[in-house]
Amino acid sequence: MKLIHNLTISIRTKFIFFFIILFLIMISFSLFVVYNNNQTIQQYTMIQERFFMLNDVSQKSAKTYEAMETFLIRQLPTDLDQYQASRKELIDAKRRLETNFQNELNFIETENYQNIIDSFIEESDSAVYSLLEGDIEAYSASQKEAFKLIGFIQDQTLTLLNEDLSMFQTYYNAINKRNDYVKLTLVFMTIAALSFGLIITYLFSQNITRPIYRLTHAAREVARGKLDGPTLLEANDEIGFLSKTFNKMRRDLEYNVRQLKEKSEQEKLLKEMELKSLQSQINPHFLFNTLNTISKYALIHGSEQIYKLINSISKLLRYNLGAMDKPVTLADEISVVQEYFYIQKTRFQDRVDFVVNVSDDCLSLKLPILTLQPLVENAFIHGIEPYEQKGIIEIEGYSQDEYVVLKIRDNGIGMDQETNRMLLDKSTSTSRSTGHSTGLGVKNVFRRLELFYQSKERISIESEIGKGTTIELVLPKNFTLEVD
Amino acid sequence: MKSRKRLFRLSLRTLVPQGALVPSLILLLFISVILTFYFFKETIHIETPMNGKAVASEGDKHFVLIIQELENPYLQELYAGAKAAAGEKDVTIEFWGTPQTNVDDHITLIEMAIASKVDGILTQGLTQEFEPVIHKAVESGIPVIFVDSDLEKNDDRTYVGTDNYQAGYEMGVTVLEETSGITKIGILNGNLINSNLEERVQGFLDAIGTEDRMQVVAIESSNLSKIQGAEKTYRMLKSHPDISIMFGTSALDSFGIVEGIKKANPASEVRVYAFDVLEETIDLLKAEEIHSALKQEPYQMGYTGVNLLLDTIQGKEIEDNIYTPISILTKEDVENETDS
């Protein structure tokens, strides 16, 4: 079975091959039967011919004797001709014995038989010639002798017939035995052909019917919407080709469906983000205007610090309310983080320091909006706020081959392994993060990065309790979205 | 639809174990193919009736041995000797004979042999009636040699066999030696046709005739039949209870005599002197139911006969009478023979 599997034979070839073998078997069947029948008939005919031959000789010798007798009585030339004709026929019949009757078993008997016939002919001739010469005494003696010889011929004919019958007794038995063997041959030939047919049928069902069934089954599953069935076996025949094509179709279909799903999820996340933003901007224009007015008043009243602070808040808000579905540059992200930090610096004074250490060639990196700020904010809220000593938050960025590596490092309280794993686990849903200015948690950021870069980014978190946390993002440079 | 299909597959699987189906079918195929070829080979092997296959070449001689009784073991021994000689000389010899002694049929057989143009004839010379047909054979250029028994008046035909007169005479001498006083003798002659048996009787009579104490009280014929022999013996012993010697001229006669003696159960011992030594004769000798038997050499007769025929054909001069050796066996001889 395996062997046939590995061969590159098309179903058509297999069928042709099978039917040719089947036809050969059937033809040999009938040839065998016909041949044997012919042979048996031939053998019987041969034996019968022997009997006919003996009968022929016996009859012709009788006829010769009669012709001789007729001539002796009537003495007509026509009778002499008749005698000569019969005599010739007898001699011919006798000669045939030599080639067609005599064999090693009855050699002597046949020889005797032929010699008796010769003696008979000689004696008859002598009778005829004695008469022609007028020697009456001699011809009657020869006739008497010839009569005796004809008796011998009849006797010897019977003896030979008897002997032939007993000689061929064994031969008849052999023929019958042979016929039995022919029957057995046919029986086993039938069994062989039957089992051959069964094996071939079974192999066909294995190689053709079963793959077709599997294909049907898989197609039905696809129709029902199940795209992740087991891959079909790809044999080297026509069915194999169908299976191969089907496998490819199903793979492509699954890919497309997944793409569609991801896109819709991306959109859903963006919607969520927008909603969060909207919640916090009851009336953005009013808020901006008011904040602008306050900042100007602060400047007029000589408080530059308030002016700056309010300006930062204003910028931050504007950024948050900007176009959410468009990618931004790393430079934009960093500037907005700095605004955020200015505000926090005002609040925490010297307790916190903020370091940005990003190489210039990375600043043009495209990334989704609000990537850095939520992460920095997270570091602030969870790492620095509960931390009693001086906190430092550092953003480091550099190029590495085709990637840009971004590290958000804090020296805060750190986190345990459980939290770490939970953040990186893609299966759990985005937890609602409280206390964030944007309302967006770390997981939201990670998920958006994944969707944006189509899983080509790498995210890792290095953290230990009491020693701070480092979030490392490795993002591909020059990434363009395929789906668009 | 789906559940039905699964049910069907399940039942199929329980019916035929999946793993065993193909190997068992292949095994079946293998075995039946082997058997097919085996029987096919047997059908190819076939005897055809032999036609026109002459085995003997033209030059080989073809002799016929014609005897009076086909089933007679003594004569079969004779044929064995002839056959052995024929085998040595590449001669084909046929064994013809009448089922029972029949002079007319015997003559017919000789005539048939002549018509069959055989190269030589060995025959028993049963009676003088054979003379014309023997003459005819010689006229046709077929040499004839008599074996075992000769014609009564045989002047120029060769005879191979026991000197029957001498054999009878020696038997008579033995009886003379082994008896004393007045002895009454019964003789069972095989038949009244065979001249050789007559010669034996004559020889016997001539031997015992030398002394007056010997009296032959009866001579009967058994027609070479054991039953008739027994009957004749019984009657002989009843009418002449004083017979002490029985002489049989052939093997069958001696068996008949033994049988007859048993039936008659005579008061005094009857000694049996027999001709020819067959298996049965040896047993009877051992049992002392036959006193002594004259052993002829039929094998040698046949053997010599064939050689003489060949000599004749080659034109060699041969003697008229060639006698084969004879010996008289007693219980001691037979026992010694079997011992050695």
Side-chain angles (χ1 to χ4, degrees):
Chain A
M1 211 164 76
K2 199 118 203 164
L3 196 83
I4 288 170
H5 234 96
N6 293 340
L7 288 172
T8 320
I9 302 172
S10 72
I11 294 171
R12 208 172 79 99
T13 321
K14 281 179 198 166
F15 267 109
I16 289 171
F17 198 62
F18 171 61
F19 280 115
I20 285 174
I21 289 178
L22 212 64
F23 278 133
L24 283 180
I25 290 173
M26 280 159 92
I27 287 167
S28 61
F29 239 78
S30 39
L31 279 182
F32 181 67
V33 171
V34 167
Y35 172 77
N36 277 305
N37 268 351
N38 257 350
Q39 222 172 27
T40 311
I41 290 167
Q42 234 173 37
Q43 285 153 4
Y44 279 115
T45 316
M46 205 180 270
I47 293 167
Q48 217 162 31
E49 269 175 5
R50 293 170 69 88
F51 296 158
F52 288 151
M53 222 178 281
L54 284 178
N55 192 40
D56 194 38
V57 169
S58 172
Q59 275 181 353
K60 285 199 171 131
S61 54
K63 206 173 141 200
T64 309
Y65 180 76
E66 273 168 33
M68 179 198 76
E69 219 170 27
T70 315
F71 174 68
L72 292 184
I73 294 164
R74 299 201 298 193
Q75 303 184 6
L76 294 174
T78 47
D79 292 331
L80 183 61
D81 291 345
Q82 180 65 41
Y83 165 71
Q84 297 288 6
S86 310
R87 180 180 179 277
K88 195 174 172 296
E89 273 179 28
L90 177 60
I91 289 171
D92 287 344
K94 188 203 82 174
R95 280 216 188 99
R96 272 203 297 280
L97 287 178
E98 209 163 301
T99 48
N100 294 333
F101 185 81
Q102 196 169 31
N103 63 32
E104 58 188 282
L105 290 177
N106 63 10
F107 181 79
I108 287 295
E109 286 84 350
T110 315
E111 193 89 345
N112 291 345
Y113 191 51
Q114 286 170 320
N115 285 337
I116 293 172
I117 294 165
D118 283 343
S119 303
F120 168 70
I121 291 169
E122 282 162 20
E123 214 57 62
S124 307
D125 285 354
S126 131
V128 170
Y129 291 124
S130 301
L131 180 82
L132 288 173
E133 281 166 17
D135 188 347
I136 302 214
E137 223 171 276
Y139 99 67
S140 75
S142 292
Q143 187 193 3
K144 222 167 131 190
E145 193 65 28
F147 182 71
K148 204 189 275 174
L149 286 167
I150 203 105
F152 287 170
I153 290 175
Q154 312 294 1
D155 285 355
Q156 194 71 7
T157 307
L158 282 179
T159 313
L160 282 171
L161 266 177
N162 260 342
E163 231 163 70
D164 236 35
L165 280 176
S166 59
M167 176 161 58
F168 287 114
Q169 182 62 50
T170 49
Y171 180 62
Y172 284 126
N173 290 343
I175 290 178
N176 286 338
K177 206 171 173 192
R178 182 168 174 277
N179 283 342
D180 286 348
Y181 280 131
V182 168
K183 265 181 225 153
L184 280 170
T185 310
L186 285 178
V187 164
F188 283 107
M189 233 172 155
T190 313
I191 293 174
L194 202 69
S195 45
F196 173 74
L198 280 174
I199 290 169
I200 292 297
T201 311
Y202 184 81
L203 290 182
F204 273 165
S205 84
Q206 288 289 314
N207 282 295
I208 298 165
T209 324
R210 191 159 290 185
I212 287 177
Y213 172 75
R214 282 206 206 98
L215 199 62
T216 321
H217 185 74
R220 206 173 279 138
E221 276 190 342
V222 168
R224 234 182 279 125
K226 191 173 177 247
L227 292 175
D228 52 351
T231 334
L232 294 171
L233 221 59
E234 295 171 5
N236 279 320
D237 52 17
E238 290 88 335
I239 305 285
F241 175 74
L242 279 182
S243 302
K244 204 188 279 177
T245 319
F246 183 85
N247 280 340
K248 189 174 181 321
M249 183 200 82
R250 198 167 55 176
R251 256 198 319 274
D252 289 352
L253 204 63
E254 200 210 342
Y255 177 78
N256 285 337
V257 165
R258 204 176 59 230
Q259 287 279 320
L260 224 69
K261 269 188 187 162
E262 279 178 4
K263 194 120 189 254
S264 74
E265 195 189 340
Q266 205 173 0
E267 268 160 20
K268 197 183 114 204
L269 284 171
L270 280 172
K271 286 261 162 56
E272 185 185 337
M273 210 160 67
E274 269 170 48
L275 192 71
K276 295 280 173 212
S277 306
L278 280 171
Q279 274 177 350
S280 61
Q281 60 163 120
I282 305 146
N283 191 338
H285 293 288
F286 172 74
L287 203 60
F288 282 141
N289 290 341
T290 313
L291 281 173
N292 268 337
T293 312
I294 292 169
S295 71
K296 292 296 181 310
Y297 264 103
L299 194 67
I300 291 164
H301 288 282
S303 178
E304 199 177 341
Q305 199 144 8
I306 292 168
Y307 165 75
K308 269 185 168 174
L309 196 62
I310 290 171
N311 224 7
S312 286
I313 291 167
S314 174
K315 273 183 185 168
L316 199 64
L317 278 175
R318 194 190 300 272
Y319 190 78
N320 282 5
L321 293 173
M324 284 296 173
D325 51 353
K326 292 245 168 57
V328 294
T329 59
L330 184 58
D332 293 339
E333 278 289 287
I334 288 170
S335 73
V336 95
V337 165
Q338 274 170 335
E339 295 299 338
Y340 168 78
F341 215 85
Y342 181 76
I343 297 163
Q344 294 295 8
K345 186 83 180 165
T346 316
R347 189 176 150 205
F348 290 98
Q349 296 293 329
D350 286 339
R351 250 192 73 196
V352 63
D353 255 343
F354 183 58
V355 184
V356 176
N357 185 12
V358 178
S359 61
D360 289 347
D361 57 336
C362 307
L363 290 175
S364 60
L365 174 76
K366 295 268 187 189
L367 72 169
I369 195 166
L370 289 176
T371 302
L372 280 183
Q373 198 258 342
L375 295 179
V376 170
E377 194 172 10
N378 186 66
F380 223 101
I381 295 165
H382 298 290
I384 305 299
E385 257 182 57
Y387 192 56
E388 298 297 323
Q389 288 145 28
K390 187 179 174 78
I392 297 167
I393 293 176
E394 187 187 358
I395 297 178
E396 193 188 353
Y398 55 88
S399 281
Q400 197 178 60
D401 303 327
E402 290 301 302
Y403 292 90
V404 169
V405 181
L406 282 175
K407 287 180 178 168
I408 297 98
R409 193 181 294 129
D410 68 74
N411 64 341
I413 57 168
M415 61 178 112
D416 55 18
Q417 292 292 317
E418 183 76 16
T419 322
N420 191 344
R421 206 167 35 248
M422 199 267 287
L423 284 176
L424 285 174
D425 188 1
K426 287 172 185 174
S427 60
T428 55
S429 62
T430 7
S431 57
R432 193 155 294 275
S433 40
T434 47
H436 284 245
S437 63
T438 52
L440 298 174
V442 177
K443 290 206 73 162
N444 180 293
V445 174
F446 287 169
R447 182 70 184 132
R448 272 189 299 123
L449 283 175
E450 192 190 326
L451 289 172
F452 184 83
Y453 291 110
Q454 309 221 309
S455 300
K456 293 207 168 63
E457 86 294 345
R458 285 201 304 275
I459 299 166
S460 59
I461 300 173
E462 212 177 283
S463 184
E464 211 176 311
I465 290 190
K467 288 193 176 166
T469 305
T470 305
I471 296 175
E472 188 182 291
L473 308 173
V474 182
L475 307 173
K477 259 190 230 171
N478 307 319
F479 183 79
T480 45
L481 218 56
E482 276 171 6
V483 187
D484 292 316
Chain B
M1 174 80 183
K2 193 188 163 200
S3 65
R4 210 199 307 163
K5 190 162 272 177
R6 189 161 288 167
L7 200 76
F8 167 69
R9 288 181 58 178
L10 200 79
S11 65
L12 196 77
R13 209 163 276 183
T14 41
L15 251 168
V16 187
Q18 288 278 301
L21 180 69
V22 169
S24 55
L25 275 177
I26 288 173
L27 190 73
L28 188 67
L29 177 66
F30 188 67
I31 291 171
S32 49
V33 163
I34 285 177
L35 284 172
T36 304
F37 276 99
Y38 172 74
F39 289 119
F40 179 64
K41 228 184 80 201
E42 291 291 328
T43 62
I44 288 173
H45 170 75
I46 176 143
E47 285 173 52
T48 40
M50 297 152 295
N51 269 342
K53 273 188 210 157
V55 281
S57 57
E58 292 294 310
D60 283 345
K61 298 296 173 210
H62 168 204
F63 297 158
V64 179
L65 168 62
I66 303 166
I67 47 84
Q68 68 184 118
E69 236 187 282
L70 279 173
E71 301 299 321
N72 191 318
Y74 170 83
L75 293 171
Q76 280 171 352
E77 179 81 10
L78 199 153
Y79 173 58
K83 210 170 152 187
E88 286 170 19
K89 299 280 160 60
D90 282 333
V91 170
T92 313
I93 186 140
E94 279 187 272
F95 188 51
W96 292 4
T98 49
Q100 271 168 354
T101 311
N102 184 323
V103 173
D104 290 342
D105 286 354
H106 201 121
I107 291 169
T108 308
L109 284 175
I110 296 170
E111 282 189 332
M112 215 157 156
I114 297 163
S116 301
K117 299 184 174 177
V118 296
D119 297 309
I121 298 172
L122 290 176
T123 179
Q124 286 176 291
L126 295 181
T127 74
Q128 206 57 38
E129 290 171 51
F130 283 9
E131 184 50 40
V133 74
I134 301 298
H135 180 74
K136 188 178 161 192
V138 175
E139 287 287 289
S140 315
I142 300 169
V144 179
I145 286 177
F146 293 113
V147 287
D148 178 58
S149 48
D150 200 0
L151 296 185
E152 230 170 305
K153 297 181 205 115
N154 181 9
D155 304 324
D156 47 2
R157 318 247 185 270
T158 307
Y159 164 73
V160 182
T162 309
D163 184 347
N164 283 307
Y165 179 85
Q166 188 62 34
Y169 194 89
E170 272 183 36
M171 211 54 160
V173 170
T174 313
V175 172
L176 276 181
E177 282 168 1
E178 288 176 358
T179 53
S180 55
I182 292 171
T183 310
K184 300 218 165 152
I185 300 171
I187 296 177
L188 195 66
N189 193 357
N191 61 28
L192 303 172
I193 302 166
N194 285 42
S195 52
N196 60 336
L197 302 186
E198 286 296 332
E199 281 174 24
R200 288 175 194 173
V201 175
Q202 197 53 53
F204 185 77
L205 289 177
D206 287 355
I208 57 172
T210 52
E211 287 185 34
D212 289 340
R213 63 186 175 89
M214 295 296 178
Q215 293 172 15
V216 175
V217 293
I219 299 181
E220 295 279 355
S221 169
S222 69
N223 280 325
L224 284 178
S225 150
K226 188 177 164 184
I227 297 164
Q228 283 191 42
E231 201 185 307
K232 295 276 166 66
T233 309
Y234 178 79
R235 275 201 223 134
M236 237 187 270
L237 289 174
K238 283 296 166 195
S239 47
H240 307 281
D242 49 354
I243 288 177
S244 61
I245 300 288
M246 281 297 297
F247 174 56
T249 58
S250 76
L252 285 175
D253 292 337
S254 51
F255 302 149
I257 290 167
V258 170
E259 198 76 19
I261 290 171
K262 269 187 199 160
K263 261 190 203 161
N265 199 12
S268 57
E269 191 208 358
V270 179
R271 280 192 190 167
V272 181
Y273 288 81
F275 252 80
D276 296 344
V277 179
L278 307 179
E279 292 280 320
E280 216 178 326
T281 321
I282 291 171
D283 292 338
L284 290 172
L285 275 170
K286 280 182 189 165
E288 291 184 63
E289 288 179 56
I290 289 176
H291 182 261
S292 38
L294 189 131
K295 192 186 173 201
Q296 304 187 79
E297 301 293 343
Y299 186 90
Q300 206 174 333
M301 292 173 205
Y303 191 89
T304 317
V306 168
N307 281 316
L308 285 175
L309 271 179
L310 281 170
D311 287 349
T312 317
I313 288 166
Q314 284 161 9
K316 287 183 194 163
E317 280 294 315
I318 52 168
E319 286 175 51
D320 279 356
N321 290 309
I322 290 153
Y323 295 124
T324 47
I326 48 167
S327 50
I328 291 172
L329 296 186
T330 57
K331 190 189 173 194
E332 286 76 35
D333 296 327
V334 172
E335 277 173 350
N336 288 342
E337 205 168 290
T338 36
D339 284 348
S340 63

